[in-house]
Amino acid sequence: MILETIIIVIYTIAIILIFMYALAQLNLLYNYLSSKKATKNCDTFDLSNPNEVPLVTIQLPVFNEMYVMERLLDNIALIEYPKDKLEIQVLDDSTDESVSDTKKRIKKLQSTGLDIKHITRTNRIGFKAGALKEGLKIAKGEFIAIFDADFLPNPNWLKRTIPYFKDEHIGVVQTRWSHINRNYSLLTKIQAFALDAHFTLEQVGRNSKGHFINFNGTAGVWRKACIIDAGNWEGDTLTEDLDLSYRAQLKNWKFKYLEDVETPAELPVVISAARSQQFRWNKGGAENFRKMLKRVIKSKNISTKTKIHGLLHLLNSTMFLNVFIVAILSIPMLYIKNEYEHLRIYFYFMSFFVMSTVIFFVCYWFMYKHIYGSGLKKFFSYIGMFFTFFSIAMGFSLHNSIAVLEGHIGKRSEFVRTPKFNINTLKDSWKGNKYLKKSLSPHIIIEGFLMLYFAFGLYSAFVVGDQGGDFGLFPFHLMLFLGFGYVFFKSLSSKM
């Protein structure tokens, strides 16, 4: 009974932590809906007045982006802003032939009168954070806009963001990501679904009540003085954007999130690229929890509620670990439930926590409705997308849990960039991408075994107990079976 007790305790703790996270999401939904009723007017720069137009530097941190560099540079050249008040820095850490192609493209743009510089380094110290820090040393701008290589800001982007900096307390203006290839495949659809939830429910829900949000690494503008005051870019975590965001807000800088300003970008179309991105984000989140825990708790500048939301925000990625624990232990729990009659009351009580799924379902519906519209047909489409998303997200739970554990124990690793594609209409146009790795990760093999493990969970529903089976966990195990199956087979096929 000792082993069974340990399983029950760990399972219960994980379930309760997921429920607490769901309650926090519900609070963010309340904040989000409340924000729609509030109308706030703020003082802004009048960019039609030359005396109010500040100097802006756009930083483009890139590394081996052969497929998207031309598109990126041509798009940035279309930004509408007085040329004498705009500087562009291409922070190029590339080690391949893209360096010479980029240099030629920049020279061509320079001939049009654009103030654009090609800045290269002989090493990648600090990775992206190091490149941004290096460029900041010589940046002319009072404000620093940052775009990753797969982002395509609209020409009026600076005109819609810079005016908010007239409020001297604002250190960052962040915009919402949109997705130019949202409907390319099931993989891009579920990535868009997850990001839409973050950029509507979470960012608005936190920002509208003065809780901490994060600069998302791209598609935002920093006040240069804010970067310096917060301690500048640091490369000791894989999510340097989250790190600097918290250090800035702990020093009382305000962040402004603009839900109505979209910045289009391309989603990874290959699962190996999505995996590397997910690994970096989730490990970086855990690293920042280690780094920021004491600072947030001890801060005298923020309310208790903001501290709670901040810590849950930093623990976002750790939810994957809790989900993975619940998934793995759910099959032993099925047998324990039917073996020990005296535990029936416990299981009746635990069934209450299915409310977590209901809460997520309700919260994400408001996000989905905002993006796609409402109506019965849309609602049924949402039901399918919600359970597809949850299944595949659980299929990523092993991969992301490993990232989270590495982050919490302090294991260091390199900043692995996400390969960019510049996808055209051909479905397999990504296959010649030179940056894709063909090696097979041991994680993928384990995911294959987990698919079989949850197939056993489905079988177990028919054979446990004396009443012809127990199907309470059958839908959960079916989603896990399909999720791990999708991730396993999709990962295998991308290596061929």
Side-chain angles (χ1 to χ4, degrees):
M1 188 64 185
I2 295 176
L3 179 60
E4 289 88 339
T5 302
I6 293 171
I7 290 173
I8 290 170
V9 169
I10 295 173
Y11 181 85
T12 304
I13 291 171
I15 284 279
I16 291 173
L17 288 173
I18 292 171
F19 182 67
M20 289 172 60
Y21 179 72
L23 290 178
Q25 293 293 104
L26 192 61
N27 182 247
L28 291 179
L29 174 62
Y30 173 79
N31 295 347
Y32 177 77
L33 296 176
S34 299
S35 73
K36 299 302 174 187
K37 299 173 186 175
T39 54
K40 291 183 180 178
N41 295 317
C42 55
D43 197 14
T44 57
F45 285 125
D46 177 11
L47 297 186
S48 64
N49 179 357
N51 295 324
E52 286 204 34
V53 179
L55 190 58
V56 175
T57 296
I58 295 177
Q59 291 188 324
L60 308 174
V62 298
F63 175 68
N64 294 350
E65 310 287 8
M66 184 175 74
Y67 301 100
V68 294
M69 279 308 301
E70 183 176 333
R71 183 181 73 177
L72 171 68
L73 294 174
D74 288 351
N75 184 82
I76 291 297
L78 298 175
I79 291 284
E80 298 166 352
Y81 205 76
K83 283 191 176 181
D84 61 327
K85 294 294 183 73
L86 180 64
E87 173 193 39
I88 301 169
Q89 294 182 335
V90 182
L91 307 174
D92 194 354
D93 281 358
S94 299
T95 56
D96 64 1
E97 66 270 29
S98 67
V99 178
S100 58
D101 293 337
T102 298
K103 186 176 182 180
K104 291 175 187 174
R105 200 76 188 173
I106 288 173
K107 280 189 175 180
K108 187 176 179 181
L109 292 173
Q110 286 172 338
S111 67
T112 68
L114 198 63
D115 184 1
I116 181 169
K117 299 176 177 64
H118 192 201
I119 301 170
T120 59
R121 299 193 296 166
T122 56
N123 58 60
R124 287 190 73 207
I125 293 174
F127 304 107
K128 181 180 175 181
L132 293 169
K133 189 174 183 178
E134 194 74 20
L136 196 69
K137 291 178 183 177
I138 55 172
K140 300 175 186 175
E142 182 184 350
F143 303 103
I144 313 293
I146 300 172
F147 299 104
D148 283 346
D150 48 345
F151 279 74
L152 301 167
N154 294 315
N156 65 351
W157 194 90
L158 285 178
K159 291 181 178 179
R160 298 187 69 187
T161 54
I162 293 298
Y164 290 96
F165 284 104
K166 187 159 189 179
D167 181 345
E168 294 182 353
H169 297 100
I170 289 179
V172 172
V173 172
Q174 174 67 51
T175 64
R176 177 165 66 90
W177 298 3
S178 61
H179 320 290
I180 60 176
N181 61 332
R182 173 191 297 273
N183 295 316
Y184 179 85
S185 66
L186 180 59
L187 180 64
T188 57
K189 286 179 181 178
I190 60 121
Q191 290 178 86
F193 187 91
L195 287 168
D196 288 342
H198 170 69
F199 280 100
T200 53
L201 177 70
E202 295 185 352
Q203 290 287 66
V204 177
R206 293 190 181 103
N207 192 230
S208 64
K209 297 298 181 182
H211 303 320
F212 285 10
I213 65 168
N214 59 297
F215 167 66
N216 293 104
T218 176
V221 192
W222 282 84
R223 188 186 296 271
K224 186 177 181 180
C226 173
I227 298 176
I228 302 301
D229 183 54
N232 215 323
W233 297 102
E234 295 178 358
D236 57 344
T237 73
L238 292 180
T239 45
E240 73 296 320
D241 45 5
L242 180 60
D243 170 29
L244 185 58
S245 296
Y246 266 67
R247 285 188 279 121
Q249 287 166 110
L250 285 168
K251 298 205 88 175
N252 285 338
W253 286 99
K254 304 301 179 187
F255 281 35
K256 179 74 176 177
Y257 176 66
L258 304 178
E259 185 187 10
D260 60 333
V261 180
E262 296 183 20
T263 308
E266 184 177 282
L267 294 161
V269 296
V270 183
I271 197 164
S272 58
R275 288 171 76 100
S276 66
Q277 187 178 71
Q278 286 285 310
F279 196 91
R280 188 176 72 249
W281 287 352
N282 285 289
K283 182 172 181 176
E287 288 175 329
N288 273 289
F289 177 77
R290 289 180 74 246
K291 184 173 181 176
M292 294 295 163
L293 175 61
K294 291 181 180 178
R295 301 189 204 187
V296 171
I297 291 173
K298 291 180 178 180
S299 175
K300 296 179 180 178
N301 299 329
I302 54 178
S303 68
T304 300
K305 192 170 184 179
T306 295
K307 289 180 182 182
I308 291 170
H309 270 292
L311 294 177
L312 287 171
H313 182 198
L314 293 170
L315 283 171
N316 264 359
S317 59
T318 305
M319 286 304 114
F320 277 107
L321 179 59
N322 290 316
V323 168
F324 185 66
I325 289 169
V326 169
I328 291 297
L329 297 183
S330 63
I331 295 177
M333 288 293 284
L334 183 64
Y335 283 89
I336 291 170
K337 176 184 176 183
N338 287 277
E339 183 72 23
Y340 300 99
E341 186 68 30
H342 65 282
L343 292 176
R344 288 281 173 177
I345 295 175
Y346 163 80
F347 284 99
Y348 284 133
F349 173 73
M350 291 305 291
S351 64
F352 167 78
F353 289 98
V354 75
M355 282 298 297
S356 295
T357 305
V358 175
I359 290 171
F360 288 127
F361 182 85
V362 172
C363 290
Y364 286 9
W365 163 241
F366 282 93
M367 169 274 296
Y368 189 89
K369 185 170 66 169
H370 176 77
I371 302 290
Y372 295 96
S374 56
L376 193 62
K377 188 177 178 181
K378 294 290 186 184
F379 182 70
F380 281 114
S381 296
Y382 167 71
I383 293 173
M385 180 54 70
F386 176 82
F387 287 106
T388 300
F389 161 72
F390 253 59
S391 297
I392 296 174
M394 289 191 292
F396 274 98
S397 61
L398 168 69
H399 178 76
N400 291 343
S401 292
I402 293 169
V404 167
L405 288 171
E406 285 190 8
H408 282 306
I409 65 175
K411 181 181 178 182
R412 300 300 299 275
S413 59
E414 277 197 8
F415 184 104
V416 179
R417 61 178 285 282
T418 305
K420 314 299 190 305
F421 299 92
N422 196 1
I423 284 299
N424 57 38
T425 54
L426 297 174
K427 278 285 181 179
D428 292 333
S429 59
W430 54 267
K431 286 197 170 179
N433 192 301
K434 61 178 282 186
Y435 302 125
L436 291 176
K437 293 181 179 179
K438 293 293 184 181
S439 57
L440 193 65
S441 165
H443 300 171
I444 297 173
I445 306 302
I446 299 172
E447 285 159 354
F449 281 114
L450 285 169
M451 176 188 68
L452 298 177
Y453 177 69
F454 293 112
F456 172 72
L458 295 174
Y459 163 77
S460 299
F462 292 91
V463 299
V464 296
D466 302 322
Q467 308 298 321
D470 184 340
F471 294 91
L473 288 172
F474 190 87
F476 183 49
H477 290 153
L478 178 61
M479 291 171 67
L480 286 161
F481 169 74
L482 294 174
F484 277 103
Y486 175 86
V487 171
F488 173 65
F489 286 112
K490 197 76 175 173
S491 298
L492 278 185
S493 64
S494 72
K495 301 297 181 183
M496 296 176 181

